[in-house]
Amino acid sequence: MIGIRVPRGEGERTRRLLLERGLLLRDYRIIRDGEYLIFPVSGPVEGFELVETEFEKTGKRPHSYREVVKVPDERRPLLPSSFDIIGDIVIIELPEELMPYGKAIGNAILRVHRHIKAVFAKGSKVSGEYRVRELIHLAGEKRTETLHRENGIRLRLDVARVYYTPRLATERMRVFEKTQPGEVVLDMFAGVGPYSILLAKKAELVFACDINPWAIKYLEENRRLNKAFNVVPILGDVRKVAGRVKADRVVMNLPKFADRFLREAMMSVKPGGVVHYYGFGPEETLFSEHEAKIKAIAREMGFKVEFLDERKVRPYAPRQFNIAIDFRIL
Ligand SMILES: C[S@@+](CC[C@H](N)C(=O)[O-])C[C@H]1O[C@@H](n2cnc3c(N)ncnc32)[C@H](O)[C@@H]1O
């Protein structure tokens, strides 16, 4: 298709002129191209710069980037049907076969979701002590810091430097609903504070620990942003904090390694207090291995355990789930 390119300041005058001459193709969308606009036209227009380009049909706006992205037909079924949106940043998991089309996919996402400003592909699995992953820039701004809203709180964070997933929002709300006014909470692996800041709306005091200095930097900012001044950020290994805090409720959101910190959790919970434990489990034995570890450590430490609730939080890998176990220490 052909279009004419004009500086943005000339846009309205050009639109009227094209309409008057009956040259504007009104069923195609005008393109914004930096400081320029490109109008879809039925033929060359004297005195204007002509460009060859694709225009999007007006009418029904596409709902999914898959409707507009150009990839070879045989790879189309591989296009992911979902991605994570964190603030104004998208993080998408692309199979190897689609990586050569990453830029086109990123641009299609920007085109369909106008509030998105940057698109990244997952470049690795979440790994290391800080539980972060590599990201590959696909399109839009090369910016990894954003402001995300969840459960009525605002979280500033850098998706490249800290762990954060929007997929736990419902789980966090569930823990919030169980929290009672006046409680002391220990968030052992707090990240930028999605549990801590939320629970602080009900709890008396929330100790929020993380070993990643970037997480604590953002947690401090989020504490101010949400006026959650009853959150106490603690930078360091939770093993050094354990036992020095006595909490009514302990949150252990480190599913990969939480079983290694059960002793610390039990040292930090008051008699009758509740621990929210997270782990990963295969479909066949979702909870049993975790339960056995919890019972064994409690026995060693001379405690009794009452299991309160067990649930699948979300799928994690094929036939693997992120699970949650709530238990009381007596
Ligand atoms: C899976 S993330 C969870 C973050 C946060 N709770 C959330 O829901 O977004 C686990 C966090 O634990 C922190 N971490 C890992 N080992 C730790 C340790 N020994 N002591 C304190 N924090 C630790 C990591 O830096 C990471 O931010």
Side-chain angles (χ1 to χ4, degrees), residues 6 16-17 40-41 72 90 93 95 98 101 131 144 153-154 184 204 225 239 244-245 251-252 269 271 303 330:
V6 299
R16 272 202 236 115
L17 185 137
V41 289
V90 157
E93 185 164 0
L98 283 176
Y101 308 95
R131 312 308 296 148
T144 49
I153 61 171
R154 290 183 295 163
V184 174
E204 179 77 21
L225 207 58
R239 279 175 275 233
R244 293 167 64 188
V245 165
V251 181
M252 301 184 74
V269 72
F303 294 129
L330 302 160

PDB file of all heavy atoms in Angstrom, residues 6 16-17 40-41 72 90 93 95 98 101 131 144 153-154 184 204 225 239 244-245 251-252 269 271 303 330:
ATOM      1  N   VAL A   6       3.975  12.977   6.535  1.00  0.00           N
ATOM      2  CA  VAL A   6       4.040  14.421   6.832  1.00  0.00           C
ATOM      3  C   VAL A   6       4.453  14.622   8.283  1.00  0.00           C
ATOM      4  O   VAL A   6       4.169  13.767   9.133  1.00  0.00           O
ATOM      5  CB  VAL A   6       2.666  15.127   6.602  1.00  0.00           C
ATOM      6  CG1 VAL A   6       2.202  15.005   5.163  1.00  0.00           C
ATOM      7  CG2 VAL A   6       1.600  14.595   7.559  1.00  0.00           C
ATOM      8  N   ARG A  16      -7.474  17.091   6.262  1.00  0.00           N
ATOM      9  CA  ARG A  16      -8.615  17.811   5.641  1.00  0.00           C
ATOM     10  C   ARG A  16      -8.455  17.870   4.122  1.00  0.00           C
ATOM     11  O   ARG A  16      -9.389  17.637   3.370  1.00  0.00           O
ATOM     12  CB  ARG A  16      -8.728  19.231   6.226  1.00  0.00           C
ATOM     13  CG  ARG A  16      -9.591  19.181   7.467  1.00  0.00           C
ATOM     14  CD  ARG A  16     -10.191  20.520   7.798  1.00  0.00           C
ATOM     15  NE  ARG A  16      -9.791  20.844   9.159  1.00  0.00           N
ATOM     16  CZ  ARG A  16      -9.021  21.844   9.494  1.00  0.00           C
ATOM     17  NH1 ARG A  16      -8.583  22.697   8.575  1.00  0.00           N
ATOM     18  NH2 ARG A  16      -8.707  22.051  10.732  1.00  0.00           N
ATOM     19  N   LEU A  17      -7.231  18.138   3.693  1.00  0.00           N
ATOM     20  CA  LEU A  17      -6.960  18.249   2.255  1.00  0.00           C
ATOM     21  C   LEU A  17      -7.245  16.920   1.538  1.00  0.00           C
ATOM     22  O   LEU A  17      -7.894  16.876   0.491  1.00  0.00           O
ATOM     23  CB  LEU A  17      -5.492  18.648   2.069  1.00  0.00           C
ATOM     24  CG  LEU A  17      -5.010  18.937   0.666  1.00  0.00           C
ATOM     25  CD1 LEU A  17      -4.117  20.175   0.673  1.00  0.00           C
ATOM     26  CD2 LEU A  17      -4.209  17.771   0.093  1.00  0.00           C
ATOM     27  N   PRO A  40      -2.878   6.758   4.838  1.00  0.00           N
ATOM     28  CA  PRO A  40      -3.130   5.801   3.752  1.00  0.00           C
ATOM     29  C   PRO A  40      -3.903   6.499   2.619  1.00  0.00           C
ATOM     30  O   PRO A  40      -4.937   7.132   2.881  1.00  0.00           O
ATOM     31  CB  PRO A  40      -4.009   4.736   4.429  1.00  0.00           C
ATOM     32  CG  PRO A  40      -4.642   5.433   5.593  1.00  0.00           C
ATOM     33  CD  PRO A  40      -3.785   6.572   5.988  1.00  0.00           C
ATOM     34  N   VAL A  41      -3.393   6.414   1.403  1.00  0.00           N
ATOM     35  CA  VAL A  41      -4.033   7.142   0.298  1.00  0.00           C
ATOM     36  C   VAL A  41      -4.263   6.209  -0.895  1.00  0.00           C
ATOM     37  O   VAL A  41      -3.603   5.174  -1.033  1.00  0.00           O
ATOM     38  CB  VAL A  41      -3.183   8.366  -0.149  1.00  0.00           C
ATOM     39  CG1 VAL A  41      -3.213   9.468   0.901  1.00  0.00           C
ATOM     40  CG2 VAL A  41      -1.734   7.962  -0.431  1.00  0.00           C
ATOM     41  N   PRO A  72       6.203 -16.745   9.688  1.00  0.00           N
ATOM     42  CA  PRO A  72       5.849 -17.780   8.703  1.00  0.00           C
ATOM     43  C   PRO A  72       4.707 -18.648   9.237  1.00  0.00           C
ATOM     44  O   PRO A  72       4.651 -18.936  10.441  1.00  0.00           O
ATOM     45  CB  PRO A  72       7.136 -18.600   8.567  1.00  0.00           C
ATOM     46  CG  PRO A  72       8.218 -17.691   9.032  1.00  0.00           C
ATOM     47  CD  PRO A  72       7.615 -16.793  10.059  1.00  0.00           C
ATOM     48  N   VAL A  90       6.181  -5.780  29.120  1.00  0.00           N
ATOM     49  CA  VAL A  90       5.745  -7.166  28.844  1.00  0.00           C
ATOM     50  C   VAL A  90       6.950  -8.090  28.880  1.00  0.00           C
ATOM     51  O   VAL A  90       8.019  -7.755  28.349  1.00  0.00           O
ATOM     52  CB  VAL A  90       5.037  -7.256  27.466  1.00  0.00           C
ATOM     53  CG1 VAL A  90       5.087  -8.670  26.904  1.00  0.00           C
ATOM     54  CG2 VAL A  90       3.576  -6.811  27.589  1.00  0.00           C
ATOM     55  N   GLU A  93       7.579 -15.468  26.952  1.00  0.00           N
ATOM     56  CA  GLU A  93       8.452 -16.643  26.813  1.00  0.00           C
ATOM     57  C   GLU A  93       8.326 -17.137  25.380  1.00  0.00           C
ATOM     58  O   GLU A  93       7.251 -17.602  24.981  1.00  0.00           O
ATOM     59  CB  GLU A  93       8.010 -17.715  27.805  1.00  0.00           C
ATOM     60  CG  GLU A  93       8.927 -18.896  27.797  1.00  0.00           C
ATOM     61  CD  GLU A  93       8.729 -19.782  29.027  1.00  0.00           C
ATOM     62  OE1 GLU A  93       7.880 -19.482  29.876  1.00  0.00           O
ATOM     63  OE2 GLU A  93       9.452 -20.795  29.096  1.00  0.00           O
ATOM     64  N   PRO A  95       9.549 -19.692  22.263  1.00  0.00           N
ATOM     65  CA  PRO A  95      10.347 -20.871  21.931  1.00  0.00           C
ATOM     66  C   PRO A  95      11.481 -20.468  20.976  1.00  0.00           C
ATOM     67  O   PRO A  95      11.360 -19.456  20.273  1.00  0.00           O
ATOM     68  CB  PRO A  95       9.342 -21.805  21.250  1.00  0.00           C
ATOM     69  CG  PRO A  95       8.213 -20.950  20.823  1.00  0.00           C
ATOM     70  CD  PRO A  95       8.201 -19.734  21.710  1.00  0.00           C
ATOM     71  N   LEU A  98      10.960 -19.138  17.499  1.00  0.00           N
ATOM     72  CA  LEU A  98      10.359 -17.816  17.268  1.00  0.00           C
ATOM     73  C   LEU A  98      11.327 -16.676  17.569  1.00  0.00           C
ATOM     74  O   LEU A  98      11.014 -15.516  17.282  1.00  0.00           O
ATOM     75  CB  LEU A  98       9.094 -17.645  18.107  1.00  0.00           C
ATOM     76  CG  LEU A  98       7.841 -18.361  17.603  1.00  0.00           C
ATOM     77  CD1 LEU A  98       6.689 -18.186  18.583  1.00  0.00           C
ATOM     78  CD2 LEU A  98       7.419 -17.869  16.219  1.00  0.00           C
ATOM     79  N   TYR A 101      12.038 -13.942  15.162  1.00  0.00           N
ATOM     80  CA  TYR A 101      10.913 -13.027  14.902  1.00  0.00           C
ATOM     81  C   TYR A 101      10.588 -12.187  16.147  1.00  0.00           C
ATOM     82  O   TYR A 101       9.525 -11.572  16.230  1.00  0.00           O
ATOM     83  CB  TYR A 101       9.678 -13.824  14.446  1.00  0.00           C
ATOM     84  CG  TYR A 101      10.028 -14.736  13.306  1.00  0.00           C
ATOM     85  CD1 TYR A 101      10.355 -16.065  13.549  1.00  0.00           C
ATOM     86  CD2 TYR A 101      10.115 -14.246  12.002  1.00  0.00           C
ATOM     87  CE1 TYR A 101      10.754 -16.898  12.512  1.00  0.00           C
ATOM     88  CE2 TYR A 101      10.513 -15.070  10.965  1.00  0.00           C
ATOM     89  CZ  TYR A 101      10.835 -16.392  11.233  1.00  0.00           C
ATOM     90  OH  TYR A 101      11.239 -17.198  10.216  1.00  0.00           O
ATOM     91  N   ARG A 131      17.029 -15.055  42.610  1.00  0.00           N
ATOM     92  CA  ARG A 131      15.891 -15.568  41.823  1.00  0.00           C
ATOM     93  C   ARG A 131      15.530 -14.607  40.676  1.00  0.00           C
ATOM     94  O   ARG A 131      14.363 -14.251  40.502  1.00  0.00           O
ATOM     95  CB  ARG A 131      14.652 -15.830  42.714  1.00  0.00           C
ATOM     96  CG  ARG A 131      14.889 -16.608  43.985  1.00  0.00           C
ATOM     97  CD  ARG A 131      15.625 -17.905  43.798  1.00  0.00           C
ATOM     98  NE  ARG A 131      14.893 -18.877  42.985  1.00  0.00           N
ATOM     99  CZ  ARG A 131      15.496 -19.747  42.196  1.00  0.00           C
ATOM    100  NH1 ARG A 131      16.813 -19.773  42.071  1.00  0.00           N
ATOM    101  NH2 ARG A 131      14.793 -20.583  41.491  1.00  0.00           N
ATOM    102  N   THR A 144      13.950  -1.215  32.180  1.00  0.00           N
ATOM    103  CA  THR A 144      13.463  -2.381  32.934  1.00  0.00           C
ATOM    104  C   THR A 144      12.795  -1.969  34.251  1.00  0.00           C
ATOM    105  O   THR A 144      12.323  -2.818  34.988  1.00  0.00           O
ATOM    106  CB  THR A 144      14.619  -3.373  33.201  1.00  0.00           C
ATOM    107  OG1 THR A 144      15.741  -2.653  33.725  1.00  0.00           O
ATOM    108  CG2 THR A 144      15.028  -4.103  31.940  1.00  0.00           C
ATOM    109  N   ILE A 153      -2.156  -1.920  45.830  1.00  0.00           N
ATOM    110  CA  ILE A 153      -0.895  -1.279  46.230  1.00  0.00           C
ATOM    111  C   ILE A 153      -0.055  -1.003  44.982  1.00  0.00           C
ATOM    112  O   ILE A 153      -0.302  -1.575  43.920  1.00  0.00           O
ATOM    113  CB  ILE A 153      -0.083  -2.130  47.245  1.00  0.00           C
ATOM    114  CG1 ILE A 153       0.301  -3.493  46.641  1.00  0.00           C
ATOM    115  CG2 ILE A 153      -0.841  -2.306  48.538  1.00  0.00           C
ATOM    116  CD1 ILE A 153       1.278  -4.280  47.494  1.00  0.00           C
ATOM    117  N   ARG A 154       0.914  -0.086  45.147  1.00  0.00           N
ATOM    118  CA  ARG A 154       1.788   0.255  44.019  1.00  0.00           C
ATOM    119  C   ARG A 154       3.190  -0.239  44.314  1.00  0.00           C
ATOM    120  O   ARG A 154       3.688  -0.056  45.427  1.00  0.00           O
ATOM    121  CB  ARG A 154       1.797   1.771  43.803  1.00  0.00           C
ATOM    122  CG  ARG A 154       0.464   2.260  43.268  1.00  0.00           C
ATOM    123  CD  ARG A 154       0.501   3.729  42.997  1.00  0.00           C
ATOM    124  NE  ARG A 154       0.672   4.480  44.234  1.00  0.00           N
ATOM    125  CZ  ARG A 154       1.061   5.747  44.286  1.00  0.00           C
ATOM    126  NH1 ARG A 154       1.337   6.405  43.171  1.00  0.00           N
ATOM    127  NH2 ARG A 154       1.183   6.370  45.436  1.00  0.00           N
ATOM    128  N   VAL A 184       2.005  -9.619  64.223  1.00  0.00           N
ATOM    129  CA  VAL A 184       3.380  -9.351  63.779  1.00  0.00           C
ATOM    130  C   VAL A 184       3.679 -10.391  62.694  1.00  0.00           C
ATOM    131  O   VAL A 184       3.416 -11.583  62.879  1.00  0.00           O
ATOM    132  CB  VAL A 184       4.387  -9.492  64.944  1.00  0.00           C
ATOM    133  CG1 VAL A 184       5.821  -9.357  64.437  1.00  0.00           C
ATOM    134  CG2 VAL A 184       4.095  -8.438  66.007  1.00  0.00           C
ATOM    135  N   GLU A 204       0.090  -5.340  62.518  1.00  0.00           N
ATOM    136  CA  GLU A 204       0.647  -4.266  63.351  1.00  0.00           C
ATOM    137  C   GLU A 204       2.036  -3.893  62.813  1.00  0.00           C
ATOM    138  O   GLU A 204       2.361  -2.732  62.661  1.00  0.00           O
ATOM    139  CB  GLU A 204       0.745  -4.820  64.791  1.00  0.00           C
ATOM    140  CG  GLU A 204       1.321  -3.907  65.817  1.00  0.00           C
ATOM    141  CD  GLU A 204       0.313  -2.853  66.245  1.00  0.00           C
ATOM    142  OE1 GLU A 204      -0.893  -3.077  66.046  1.00  0.00           O
ATOM    143  OE2 GLU A 204       0.744  -1.816  66.770  1.00  0.00           O
ATOM    144  N   LEU A 225       5.971   4.846  49.110  1.00  0.00           N
ATOM    145  CA  LEU A 225       4.936   5.053  48.087  1.00  0.00           C
ATOM    146  C   LEU A 225       3.546   4.682  48.617  1.00  0.00           C
ATOM    147  O   LEU A 225       2.546   5.316  48.285  1.00  0.00           O
ATOM    148  CB  LEU A 225       5.290   4.133  46.912  1.00  0.00           C
ATOM    149  CG  LEU A 225       4.856   4.473  45.515  1.00  0.00           C
ATOM    150  CD1 LEU A 225       5.401   5.836  45.104  1.00  0.00           C
ATOM    151  CD2 LEU A 225       5.400   3.415  44.541  1.00  0.00           C
ATOM    152  N   ARG A 239      18.742 -16.115  57.671  1.00  0.00           N
ATOM    153  CA  ARG A 239      19.277 -17.003  58.711  1.00  0.00           C
ATOM    154  C   ARG A 239      19.795 -16.192  59.900  1.00  0.00           C
ATOM    155  O   ARG A 239      19.842 -16.672  61.019  1.00  0.00           O
ATOM    156  CB  ARG A 239      20.390 -17.880  58.128  1.00  0.00           C
ATOM    157  CG  ARG A 239      19.816 -19.081  57.374  1.00  0.00           C
ATOM    158  CD  ARG A 239      20.897 -19.884  56.700  1.00  0.00           C
ATOM    159  NE  ARG A 239      21.187 -19.309  55.407  1.00  0.00           N
ATOM    160  CZ  ARG A 239      21.190 -19.993  54.269  1.00  0.00           C
ATOM    161  NH1 ARG A 239      20.928 -21.275  54.270  1.00  0.00           N
ATOM    162  NH2 ARG A 239      21.468 -19.394  53.142  1.00  0.00           N
ATOM    163  N   ARG A 244      15.271 -13.962  66.151  1.00  0.00           N
ATOM    164  CA  ARG A 244      15.328 -12.633  66.803  1.00  0.00           C
ATOM    165  C   ARG A 244      13.986 -11.934  66.688  1.00  0.00           C
ATOM    166  O   ARG A 244      13.728 -10.937  67.342  1.00  0.00           O
ATOM    167  CB  ARG A 244      16.441 -11.799  66.165  1.00  0.00           C
ATOM    168  CG  ARG A 244      17.804 -12.413  66.483  1.00  0.00           C
ATOM    169  CD  ARG A 244      18.893 -11.843  65.650  1.00  0.00           C
ATOM    170  NE  ARG A 244      19.108 -10.435  65.906  1.00  0.00           N
ATOM    171  CZ  ARG A 244      19.910  -9.662  65.188  1.00  0.00           C
ATOM    172  NH1 ARG A 244      20.563 -10.179  64.172  1.00  0.00           N
ATOM    173  NH2 ARG A 244      20.051  -8.401  65.473  1.00  0.00           N
ATOM    174  N   VAL A 245      13.153 -12.440  65.757  1.00  0.00           N
ATOM    175  CA  VAL A 245      11.802 -11.910  65.577  1.00  0.00           C
ATOM    176  C   VAL A 245      10.849 -13.004  66.012  1.00  0.00           C
ATOM    177  O   VAL A 245      11.088 -14.172  65.739  1.00  0.00           O
ATOM    178  CB  VAL A 245      11.583 -11.596  64.072  1.00  0.00           C
ATOM    179  CG1 VAL A 245      10.131 -11.387  63.748  1.00  0.00           C
ATOM    180  CG2 VAL A 245      12.437 -10.422  63.629  1.00  0.00           C
ATOM    181  N   VAL A 251       5.814 -15.759  56.287  1.00  0.00           N
ATOM    182  CA  VAL A 251       5.619 -16.057  54.859  1.00  0.00           C
ATOM    183  C   VAL A 251       6.945 -16.529  54.291  1.00  0.00           C
ATOM    184  O   VAL A 251       7.966 -15.845  54.427  1.00  0.00           O
ATOM    185  CB  VAL A 251       5.122 -14.803  54.083  1.00  0.00           C
ATOM    186  CG1 VAL A 251       4.899 -15.135  52.612  1.00  0.00           C
ATOM    187  CG2 VAL A 251       3.851 -14.246  54.714  1.00  0.00           C
ATOM    188  N   MET A 252       6.933 -17.705  53.659  1.00  0.00           N
ATOM    189  CA  MET A 252       8.172 -18.298  53.114  1.00  0.00           C
ATOM    190  C   MET A 252       8.076 -18.429  51.598  1.00  0.00           C
ATOM    191  O   MET A 252       7.973 -19.528  51.077  1.00  0.00           O
ATOM    192  CB  MET A 252       8.368 -19.708  53.678  1.00  0.00           C
ATOM    193  CG  MET A 252       8.455 -19.817  55.164  1.00  0.00           C
ATOM    194  SD  MET A 252       8.792 -21.540  55.616  1.00  0.00           S
ATOM    195  CE  MET A 252      10.515 -21.694  55.164  1.00  0.00           C
ATOM    196  N   VAL A 269       8.430 -18.221  64.709  1.00  0.00           N
ATOM    197  CA  VAL A 269       6.978 -18.133  64.848  1.00  0.00           C
ATOM    198  C   VAL A 269       6.596 -18.360  66.320  1.00  0.00           C
ATOM    199  O   VAL A 269       7.193 -19.190  67.014  1.00  0.00           O
ATOM    200  CB  VAL A 269       6.277 -19.117  63.869  1.00  0.00           C
ATOM    201  CG1 VAL A 269       6.440 -20.558  64.284  1.00  0.00           C
ATOM    202  CG2 VAL A 269       4.822 -18.768  63.664  1.00  0.00           C
ATOM    203  N   PRO A 271       4.262 -19.615  69.491  1.00  0.00           N
ATOM    204  CA  PRO A 271       3.393 -20.797  69.639  1.00  0.00           C
ATOM    205  C   PRO A 271       1.982 -20.432  69.173  1.00  0.00           C
ATOM    206  O   PRO A 271       1.471 -19.373  69.534  1.00  0.00           O
ATOM    207  CB  PRO A 271       3.428 -21.075  71.144  1.00  0.00           C
ATOM    208  CG  PRO A 271       4.652 -20.366  71.650  1.00  0.00           C
ATOM    209  CD  PRO A 271       4.905 -19.205  70.751  1.00  0.00           C
ATOM    210  N   PHE A 303       8.348 -29.345  68.363  1.00  0.00           N
ATOM    211  CA  PHE A 303       7.046 -28.716  68.118  1.00  0.00           C
ATOM    212  C   PHE A 303       6.049 -29.723  67.551  1.00  0.00           C
ATOM    213  O   PHE A 303       6.435 -30.744  66.995  1.00  0.00           O
ATOM    214  CB  PHE A 303       7.177 -27.584  67.077  1.00  0.00           C
ATOM    215  CG  PHE A 303       8.007 -26.421  67.537  1.00  0.00           C
ATOM    216  CD1 PHE A 303       9.050 -25.938  66.728  1.00  0.00           C
ATOM    217  CD2 PHE A 303       7.759 -25.785  68.741  1.00  0.00           C
ATOM    218  CE1 PHE A 303       9.819 -24.862  67.119  1.00  0.00           C
ATOM    219  CE2 PHE A 303       8.532 -24.702  69.137  1.00  0.00           C
ATOM    220  CZ  PHE A 303       9.564 -24.245  68.331  1.00  0.00           C
ATOM    221  N   LEU A 330       2.631 -25.612  67.185  1.00  0.00           N
ATOM    222  CA  LEU A 330       2.102 -25.681  68.564  1.00  0.00           C
ATOM    223  C   LEU A 330       3.172 -26.176  69.532  1.00  0.00           C
ATOM    224  O   LEU A 330       4.093 -26.884  69.131  1.00  0.00           O
ATOM    225  CB  LEU A 330       0.894 -26.611  68.604  1.00  0.00           C
ATOM    226  CG  LEU A 330      -0.270 -26.209  67.674  1.00  0.00           C
ATOM    227  CD1 LEU A 330      -1.180 -27.386  67.412  1.00  0.00           C
ATOM    228  CD2 LEU A 330      -1.040 -25.049  68.283  1.00  0.00           C
TER     229      LEU A 330
END
